[in-house]
């Protein structure tokens, strides 16, 4: 019998529509029932972007499209989208019903591709996977059906050019800020960066240069691995894998050194950049250390994470090693495939020289909250979770920093937690909540 | 009090003679004075053709495709002697979901209270193939048909389809679904064909309702766009269909069949293949060996 889970912190495969929304001037065309796309926006989206939210063209496939097939309806919607939405890339995504019924979305899309229209398709029926997985599928579809077709055949490898695959847009609410910071620091050590999503991306023109990159950088526990492996097989582009989000001085410098060494960059230039960044970063911490070490109404002594693996490991390393907050149980909620779990456990086993943390892989928010609720709460805790943890945080008098979707109670613009800037921002946000307890 | 409508579903492998049999049963029942509706549940939508001079009628799904609200008089058409003819219809081959189509069509008939409105005695569903998906099982499910009959020849694939149908009936039998009335043995001319079907019903704990021989009379009638009952009412074949209709009319108690597991079915078929081969080569076996 299927198991009911409460409060999953990711979407179905169709959630990859948000990955498309995050590409400048790209638009998803959804072939699904009414409500699917909107629910995804409500869960993980914030803001419509260029052509997201209620702008997304959708077939609203219902009874008639199921019984008779929805191919003609899809054709009509694609036709209409080309007429009324001025975009650089159109990505057709399917929902459960059309995939179950077996609509040949590929054939419909190919008819438009044959006219050299910038359009690709991916099957993202909700039963196929979650959006951590389907994000890869959509990125690969764009590369295989668009980039390969329109790329400059004569272009050769560009030394110093890298493609960065990090964070899943919108599934990571701070995706834009995180990508901006990753781009900033990688440029700082001398790289030219295809960041591919968000305000720092040059849009679909940038995607066309993916095959020319000297190497790819994957900043992720496991999502995205399929992409970089595929690119390695396809174009022979090697990849550097950093398996968590680098947050703060230690880990960001480690990340940059790793990239620099992998790419054979000038170590002097890399070290000079790191030195400059670390100086700035630690000067802020030194300036406020007195407060961060002691506060009359108490400081969070331990933290729970209810996050995906990439964030969980990144935050744990930062909080333990740089802020001295100790790990309570760590809950990983991204439905991590079994083959990647041991590596993640290992990160927590060695989260610092002296500390290790227990990890639980669970997708059931209700179960996780019940477990935390059942623990003894002698000390003030910090919960790195989602908006859904607000009640729990109140009950156990913990501070809540919502990092995961649904973010609900925060408006996110360019805020991010990656890198040096992200590390400082994390401190601001965590200790803001501490100050908020002033009586 | 409203009278009890007898709802019957007739299943069988494609091309086995379901529609021919069903239409002749409908025709015989209407001749006997009953009010009958025949519902074709096959995307080919030709179940009722021989009741209407060989002509196609607009299907429920075609009508639904055009507009959301469909009235009974747009999908129910009178045929031979006032038989109400309905075709569920379906998508073009290779697209959409025909099973969902059957569900939609049957639901529409229920919603519109078609059976009560028309004061029917019999509703006969003529359903495609074996139970290929939930949609095609709808007539077997709770609250639609009470009795299921399957048309089968002695051909192994037809028997396979019948056995699959039995599995569907068995599945729904626990939740108030229709039960099996028996097998209508079609195209039974050779003695071995009767023996095969007899053995199959014995194995699966059901019965043969009637043996229907293959006959050119049927073909002649269909070429005229008619049932045998209409075209050649005095023929021997018509009397076979009348007898079959009478048995179905008098049938009251259906049972849960005992379908064979796939391996057993294969072994059963292999055993019969050996028998037939022995027969072809003139080998003397079993009872005959004692002579």
């Amino acid at each position: 019998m299927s198991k009911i889970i409460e409060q999953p912190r990711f979407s179905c495969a169709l959630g990859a529509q948000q990955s498309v929304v995050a590409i400048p001037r790209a638009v998803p065309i959804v072939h699904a029932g009414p409500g699917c796309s909107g629910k995804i926006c409500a869960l993980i989206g914030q803001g419509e972007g260029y052509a997201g939210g209620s702008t997304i063209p959708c077939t609203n496939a219902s009874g008639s499209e199921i019984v008779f097939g929805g191919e003609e309806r899809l054709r009509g919607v694609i036709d209409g989208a080309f007429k009324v939405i001025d975009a650089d890339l159109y990505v057709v995504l399917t929902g459960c019903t059309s995939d179950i019924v077996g609509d040949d979305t590929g054939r419909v899309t190919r008819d438009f591709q044959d006219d050299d229209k910038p359009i690709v398709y991916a099957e993202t029926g909700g039963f196929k996977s979650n959006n951590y997985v389907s994000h890869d599928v959509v990125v690969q579809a764009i590369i295989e059906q668009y980039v390969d077709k329109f790329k400059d055949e004569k272009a050769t490898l560009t030394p110093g050019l890298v493609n960065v695959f990090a964070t899943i847009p919108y599934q990571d609410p701070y995706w834009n800020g995180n990508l901006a910071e990753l781009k900033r620091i990688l440029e700082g050590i001398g790289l030219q960066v295809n960041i591919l999503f968000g305000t720092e991306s040059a849009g679909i023109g940038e995607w066309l240069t993916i095959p020319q990159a000297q190497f790819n950088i994957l900043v992720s526990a496991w999502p995205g691995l399929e992409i970089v492996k595929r690119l390695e097989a396809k174009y022979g582009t090697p990849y550097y894998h950093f398996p968590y989000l680098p947050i703060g001085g230690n880990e960001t410098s480690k990340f940059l050194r790793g990239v620099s060494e992998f790419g054979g960059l000038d170590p002097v230039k890399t070290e000079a950049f790191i030195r400059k960044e670390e100086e700035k970063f630690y000067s802020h911490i030194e300036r406020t250390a007195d407060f961060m070490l002691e506060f009359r109404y108490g400081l969070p002594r331990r933290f729970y994470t209810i996050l995906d693996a990439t964030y969980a490991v990144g935050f744990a390393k930062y909080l333990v090693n740089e802020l001295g907050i100790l790990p309570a149980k760590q809950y990983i909620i991204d439905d991590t495939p079994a083959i990647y779990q041991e590596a993640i456990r290992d990160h927590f086993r060695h989260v610092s020289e002296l500390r290790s943390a227990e990890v639980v892989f669970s997708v059931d928010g209700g179960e996780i909250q019940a477990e935390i609720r059942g623990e003894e709460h002698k000390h003030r805790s910090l919960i790195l979770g989602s908006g859904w943890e607000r009640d729990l945080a109140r009950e156990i008098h913990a501070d809540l920093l919502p990092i995961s979707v649904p973010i609900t109670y925060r408006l996110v613009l360019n805020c991010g937690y990656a890198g040096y800037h992200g590390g400082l921002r994390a401190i601001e946000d965590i200790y803001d909540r501490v100050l908020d307890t002033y009586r | 009090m409203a009278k009890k409508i007898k709802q019957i579903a007739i299943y069988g492998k494609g091309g086995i003679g379901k529609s021919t049999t069903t239409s002749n049963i409908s025709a015989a029942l209407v001749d006997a004075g009953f009010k009958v509706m025949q519902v074709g549940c096959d995307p080919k939508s030709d179940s009722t053709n021989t009741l209407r001079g060989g002509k196609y009628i607009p299907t429920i799904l075609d009508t639904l495709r055009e507009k959301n609200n469909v009235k009974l008089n747009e999908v129910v058409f009178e045929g031979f002697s006032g038989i109400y003819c309905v075709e569920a219809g379906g998508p073009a081959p290779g697209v959409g979901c025909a099973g969902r189509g059957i569900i939609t069509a049957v639901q529409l008939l229920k919603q519109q209270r078609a059976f009560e409105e028309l004061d029917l005695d019999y509703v006969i569903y003529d359903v495609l193939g074996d139970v290929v998906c939930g949609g095609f099982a709808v007539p077997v499910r709770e609250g639609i048909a009470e009795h299921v009959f399957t048309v089968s020849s002695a051909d192994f694939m037809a028997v396979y389809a019948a056995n699959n149908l039995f599995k569907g009936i068995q599945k729904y039998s626990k939740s108030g679904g229709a039960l099996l009335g028996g097998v209508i043995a079609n195209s039974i001319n050779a003695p071995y064909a009767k023996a095969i079907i007899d053995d199959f019903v014995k194995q699966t704990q059901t019965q043969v309702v009637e043996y229907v021989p293959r006959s050119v009379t049927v073909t002649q009638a269909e070429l005229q766009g008619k049932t045998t009952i209409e075209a050649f009412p005095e023929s021997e074949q018509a009397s076979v269909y009348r007898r079959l209709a009478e048995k179905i009319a008098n049938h009251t108690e259906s049972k849960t069949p005992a379908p064979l597991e796939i391996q057993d079915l294969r072994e059963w078929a292999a055993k019969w293949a050996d028998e037939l081969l022995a027969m072809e080569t003139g080998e003397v076996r079993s009872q005959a060996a004692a002579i």
Side-chain angles (χ1 to χ4, degrees), chain A residues 310-328:
Chain A
T310 308
Y311 259 129
V313 178
F315 264 108
K317 287 189 184 267
Y318 183 50
L319 298 185
V320 175
N321 295 317
E322 305 224 47
L323 300 179
I325 309 175
L326 301 177

Side-chain angles (χ1 to χ4, degrees), chain B residues 7-11 22 123-127 139-140 144-150 165 178-180 182 184:
Chain B
Q7 301 206 46
I8 290 157
I10 295 179
Y11 282 74
T22 311
V123 179
I124 308 183
Y125 298 91
D126 172 13
V127 196
V140 181
I144 314 270
E146 306 143 86
H147 307 286
V148 180
F149 295 90
T150 180
L165 170 71
L179 298 180
L180 184 68
I184 298 165

Side-chain angles (χ1 to χ4, degrees), chain B residues 115-151:
Chain B
F115 313 141
E116 294 84 354
E117 296 280 324
L118 297 170
D119 190 31
L120 297 172
D121 297 303
Y122 286 92
V123 179
I124 308 183
Y125 298 91
D126 172 13
V127 196
L128 163 82
D130 52 2
V131 181
V132 289
C133 74
F136 291 92
V138 156
V140 181
R141 278 146 71 172
E142 192 182 359
I144 314 270
E146 306 143 86
H147 307 286
V148 180
F149 295 90
T150 180
V151 180

